Amino acid sequence: MAEKITGAEAMMRALEKEGVNTLFGYPGGAIMPTYDALYDHKKTLNHILVRHEQGAVHAAQGYARVSGKVGCAIVTSGPGATNTVTGIADAMADSTPVVVICGQVGVSMLGTDAFQEVDVVGITSPASKWSYQIRRASDVAWAVSRAFYIARSGRPGPVVLDFTKNAQTELIDYKPAKINFIRSYDPTPALNKDSIKTAAKLINNSVKPFALLGQGVELGNANQEVKALLEKAQIPFASTLLGLSDIPSDHPLNMGMLGMHGNLGPNVMTNQCDLLIAIGMRFDDRVTGNLDTYAKQAKIIHFDIDPSEFNKNVKIDVAILGDCKESIPAVTELVDATKHDSWIAGFKPYAEKEYNKVIDKATHPENGPLLMGEVVQKISEATNNEAILVTDVGQNQMFACRYFKYSKPRSVVTSGGIGTMGFGLPAAIGATFGAPDRTVCVFCGDGGLQMTLQEFGTIMEQHAPVKIILLNNNFLGNVRQWQSMFFRRRYSFTPMLNPDYAMIAKAYNIATRTVIEREELNDAITEMLNTDGPFLLQCAIMEEDNVLPMTPPGANVDEMLLEI
């Protein structure tokens, strides 16, 4: 006879069966039976008490992004559940596999407007891959296995389990479950051999091929496979914001970052290539600019595991549906080894122009206040370009992603799709648990940091070794830049009166140092990186430091401004 256990205990065992060893969460009334069960699983399930439920999901995202595993968050009902919605939506936009477990009132109380009752499934369904209410303890093992299967397979994403209180307390005969097939769900479709042949033929006939790499390369663990294709056919490439660490920054075929604040060469050459090869990216508007003029001269091959991305924004010529770890080698086998030296050399003048007009000024200023670019570059160099970069959202994000360099995969954790201010700090906490052997540097602005500042408490309790770099310009910098460029410098509610961040850090036992003069920066960076545990490095940044180059909204992708 099977052992009788509660639904809450079944949840613990089901999570362990899925390989979960870290949970980020916050307890409350409706999830209390599950937390009581968790008390007996401390040795196998390391629970990190965050200070806000939004922080739990962002931490789970950071954990997932650097580890390649499914992140897990657990919260109570009502406001606990609704506080997770921003993180769930962020994970959906950026294809991050997380499972969020929310407490819920008992089935007999559903629909009665009971205390802290909220329609979690109704709220989260549009922002998740799957949202399900567990109403019986006997469904726990099945629901958990199905949730993790959906979250990690195909195009990854968030799954929500709404766990009713009666399901947590009911006694059942526990039987483990293993879901690896759902009739209506096909996460790894079979490759179309004709599409593979057509794509290879286009690559072999191309004179000016150009590849665009997205996060799908890392999500598919296909870094080496993609690298082999690009090297065999000598195809230059650039990366989206989330795909920056797909292939090391110093690879000779790496032309930089795509998009509104990307590098000049890749954006210009997008409208000059004869073949555009998109791998695991979704032609986001910040990458394409004006769709009416985007790459009209080129044939386009699109590799993706999600068929809904084909022809969604950009009309393509060849769609290759499938797992890129399988589809890329199939194409590589049919591709000729070739050289495109003159085409690759064509990127160089644009790189030199951008360096002289933008990069050198941003990273090697002769005098004046500190600039974001120089701070980012010096920290990247001090970590031997081996650290994990986490960012918040805004100018800090754009400068960090432009000037940080990468030598290892899974090294970029940032909010791309919905641009969530407040993402950085909790995501960095999660990253320290997902990759405990690596240095985690999070760059924040003074606006975004205050949105989840309470997570200093989590850092203090866990002694999480997060290296926090606050680029403080006393402005909501990105909005200020747009106001300067497009709203006649009418700075409507973007100047910020800030607290003493150093005092706040000290209150949380976080080592800190503030840098105002350029001569102090190198020593301060060394102190930060040599400090065991967390550190806040506050840098006083020039108030009107602007991110350049920039493609103005609605402009063509190659119409980049190098100065304002």
Side-chain angles (χ1 to χ4, degrees), residues 209-214 217-218 223 226-227 229-231 234-259 262-267 269 340 343-348 350-352 354 359 385 401-409 411-412:
F210 186 36
L212 315 180
L213 309 187
V217 173
E218 286 194 328
N223 307 67
V226 170
K227 183 169 169 280
L229 169 63
L230 300 177
E231 289 178 344
Q234 283 294 287
I235 302 170
F237 70 91
S239 303
T240 66
L241 191 70
L242 298 182
L244 284 170
S245 63
D246 288 345
I247 295 175
S249 302
D250 62 0
H251 193 284
L253 294 172
N254 193 339
M255 301 301 155
M257 185 170 83
L258 299 162
N263 294 107
L264 178 63
N267 279 7
M269 295 306 233
H340 296 104
W343 164 240
I344 294 170
F347 285 82
K348 187 175 181 181
Y350 295 107
E352 291 175 346
E354 181 182 353
I359 297 174
N385 302 329
C401 289
R402 277 184 56 82
Y403 294 110
F404 214 80
K405 302 303 176 187
Y406 317 94
S407 59
K408 297 180 179 181
S411 293
V412 178

Side-chain angles (χ1 to χ4, degrees), residues 48-197:
I48 310 304
L49 177 66
V50 297
R51 298 310 190 257
H52 190 280
E53 292 89 355
Q54 180 180 346
V57 185
H58 291 330
Q61 289 177 270
Y63 175 91
R65 294 268 280 273
V66 301
S67 69
K69 301 176 182 178
V70 178
C72 194
I74 182 167
V75 302
T76 193
S77 64
T82 57
N83 282 343
T84 68
V85 173
T86 296
I88 292 166
D90 194 283
M92 188 68 176
D94 288 347
S95 304
T96 305
V98 295
V99 171
V100 180
I101 301 162
C102 303
Q104 182 58 279
V105 301
V107 167
S108 65
M109 302 295 288
L110 291 172
T112 68
D113 292 330
F115 178 66
Q116 293 191 333
E117 180 197 357
V118 167
D119 182 2
V120 173
V121 173
I123 291 171
T124 61
S125 289
S128 61
K129 281 189 74 175
W130 186 51
S131 187
Y132 179 76
Q133 188 174 78
I134 303 174
R135 296 188 172 202
R136 300 178 303 177
S138 57
D139 291 338
V140 170
W142 169 86
V144 170
S145 183
R146 183 181 172 105
F148 276 80
Y149 173 61
I150 291 173
R152 66 165 67 98
S153 61
R155 180 178 181 172
V159 171
V160 179
L161 293 178
D162 191 35
F163 198 10
T164 61
K165 199 165 186 178
N166 64 283
Q168 297 176 54
T169 57
E170 289 170 0
L171 291 174
I172 55 165
D173 295 326
Y174 176 69
K175 294 180 181 179
K178 181 61 178 176
I179 304 295
N180 53 24
F181 172 77
I182 300 172
R183 186 172 59 184
S184 59
Y185 176 57
D186 185 16
T188 51
L191 293 182
N192 184 306
K193 293 182 179 180
D194 290 337
S195 295
I196 297 293
K197 292 177 182 177

Side-chain angles (χ1 to χ4, degrees), residues 460-502:
M460 175 181 66
E461 182 172 343
Q462 300 296 330
H463 200 62
V466 181
K467 307 305 180 185
I468 308 160
I469 302 94
L470 172 58
L471 303 174
N472 191 348
N473 58 7
N474 297 299
F475 263 103
L476 294 175
N478 213 40
V479 183
R480 180 211 52 76
Q481 179 170 333
W482 282 50
Q483 288 173 334
S484 175
M485 297 175 67
F486 309 120
F487 292 89
R488 306 186 308 281
R489 301 174 68 87
R490 288 158 57 90
Y491 296 150
S492 180
F493 299 99
T494 47
M496 296 197 73
L497 178 63
N498 284 319
D500 188 329
Y501 290 105

